[in-house]
Amino acid sequence: MDLKQLEYFVRVVELGGFTRAAQALGVTQPSLSRQVRLLELELHEHLLYRTGRGAEPTEAGRLLFEYGSAMLKLASRAKQDIDNLKRMPRGRISVGLPPRLAHLLTPVLVESFRRQLPGASITVSEGPSVKMREWLLDGQIDVALFYDPAPNAKLDYESIFREELVLVGKSPGVGTTLPARVKLSQLQAFPVVLPCMPNTIRVIVDTTCRSRDVQLDIVAEVNAVHTLVAVVEQGHSFGILPISAVSRQIREGTLGASRIESPTMRNHLVLATSRAKSDTRLTTETLQLIREMNVSKLLQNV
């Protein structure tokens, strides 16, 4: 049945006649009569009979009026709900963040999410980059920020931020003040503490040094970046880390940093989603919130 025909019929019954219904609907009376007649032909039943005062429903008409009124209300509610969905996405979305950034980004993301997407809910999980890739592929999370992903045909990547790795040490350093710059080949002279494999920082350092035949003096392996920084602050070793990981210590003067050159090493923060999941409006809006967080500026103010 055509919803327009149902609407015309219901209004005739509600208003008690074709003339008043045509005026309320803004159509001509012949057009209204024709649509009601088409409905009768489809149902093979007379739905209305005319009286001196207008029109009244037959027994079949009264039955159709009950169903038709309910159907029109449902159609109106469906349209309203769809319109609301366009304006305000609903549902739940899961976002994965690297531990080094989670404490910094989560408050900003949650605040923005609640302000702009109040009809939806968000779950934030922390994990190393390798683990978050697995979570994305398994469908355990919907969106992730992680470092230096290996190419994967099942995932879409979007570059968010690139950051230099620097040599860091206790000020004034182990035996000497750190120079402003140091060449990659000179790193062999520094006893360093690095994260364990497959940490993305370690992958970058090992890959770059191996390509230039540089043998590092690795005195310890510490996975958690904040713990590694604490070890370096003791003054017996150095670290190779993103500058944001030690920006507070550098400002406070407890650690110094040297830019590494020839070549420069950078880690690469990407925004990732799975191609196996269809993009929903909630996913699209959440991705935009993450883009607008200005990760670069937030990291500079750690």
Side-chain angles (χ1 to χ4, degrees):
M1 278 178 279
D2 188 288
L3 283 177
K4 180 180 290 187
Q5 292 174 350
L6 272 177
E7 180 185 9
Y8 285 2
F9 167 74
V10 168
R11 293 309 298 271
V12 171
V13 175
E14 287 177 339
L15 297 175
F18 284 85
T19 301
R20 288 188 291 273
Q23 292 173 348
L25 290 166
V27 298
T28 64
Q29 187 170 330
S31 175
L32 176 59
S33 298
R34 183 169 59 255
Q35 293 300 320
V36 172
R37 181 56 182 157
L38 289 173
L39 191 56
E40 290 178 324
L41 291 173
E42 181 180 351
L43 297 174
H44 306 289
E45 285 285 353
H46 288 292
L47 301 174
L48 297 165
Y49 62 87
R50 296 178 183 271
T51 68
R53 297 187 301 272
E56 292 187 6
T58 63
E59 183 179 3
R62 286 193 296 271
L63 182 61
L64 181 63
F65 177 75
E66 293 179 9
Y67 281 109
S69 298
M71 292 168 67
L72 290 172
K73 288 178 182 178
L74 282 174
S76 177
R77 187 181 304 169
K79 183 177 183 300
Q80 182 178 356
D81 287 346
I82 291 172
D83 288 341
N84 289 338
L85 184 63
K86 292 177 183 177
R87 293 193 296 269
M88 187 181 298
R90 298 184 181 277
R92 177 180 294 275
I93 191 164
S94 179
V95 178
L97 298 175
R100 187 168 69 83
L101 298 183
H103 74 286
L104 177 67
L105 301 184
T106 300
V108 179
L109 177 58
V110 170
E111 181 183 357
S112 298
F113 189 94
R114 296 307 304 152
R115 184 175 63 252
Q116 299 189 39
L117 300 168
S121 59
I122 185 171
T123 299
V124 178
S125 302
E126 296 182 32
S129 297
V130 173
K131 183 60 66 176
M132 280 197 286
R133 283 197 294 271
E134 295 176 3
W135 292 345
L136 269 180
L137 291 170
D138 292 342
Q140 296 181 50
I141 58 177
D142 304 296
V143 178
L145 272 175
F146 50 69
Y147 287 102
D148 300 284
N152 193 307
K154 297 180 179 180
L155 299 177
D156 283 322
Y157 298 141
E158 177 183 339
S159 177
I160 294 294
F161 181 62
R162 285 184 177 272
E163 185 177 22
E164 284 191 30
L165 303 187
V166 295
L167 178 69
V168 297
K170 184 175 178 64
S171 294
V174 181
T176 182
T177 302
L178 279 174
R181 302 171 187 273
V182 62
K183 292 184 178 180
L184 183 76
S185 59
Q186 295 174 315
L187 294 179
Q188 298 175 117
F190 297 88
V192 295
V193 180
L194 290 175
C196 308
M197 289 290 285
N199 181 282
T200 53
I201 295 173
R202 180 63 180 271
V203 171
I204 295 169
V205 172
D206 280 5
T207 301
T208 306
C209 288
R210 188 164 49 247
S211 69
R212 300 301 178 98
D213 197 24
V214 173
Q215 301 293 324
L216 295 179
D217 178 16
I218 302 173
V219 297
E221 294 180 321
V222 178
N223 246 355
V225 170
H226 67 278
T227 306
L228 192 156
V229 172
V231 172
V232 172
E233 285 183 302
Q234 296 299 309
H236 305 296
S237 58
F238 295 82
I240 300 175
L241 294 167
I243 188 67
S244 64
V246 290
S247 57
R248 177 180 60 82
Q249 290 83 354
I250 291 174
R251 286 197 306 269
E252 295 174 353
T254 60
L255 290 179
S258 297
R259 290 193 64 186
I260 301 170
E261 299 179 337
S262 303
T264 299
M265 289 186 285
R266 291 185 174 87
N267 66 352
H268 185 196
L269 184 66
V270 302
L271 184 57
T273 53
S274 172
R275 293 180 179 177
K277 282 194 172 185
S278 58
D279 286 341
T280 64
R281 183 172 174 80
L282 180 56
T283 301
T284 301
E285 295 284 352
T286 303
L287 290 171
Q288 187 58 30
L289 287 180
I290 295 173
R291 295 184 189 105
E292 293 172 353
M293 284 197 302
N294 196 345
V295 174
S296 174
K297 184 176 181 179
L298 288 171
L299 288 176
Q300 291 170 8
N301 295 325
V302 175

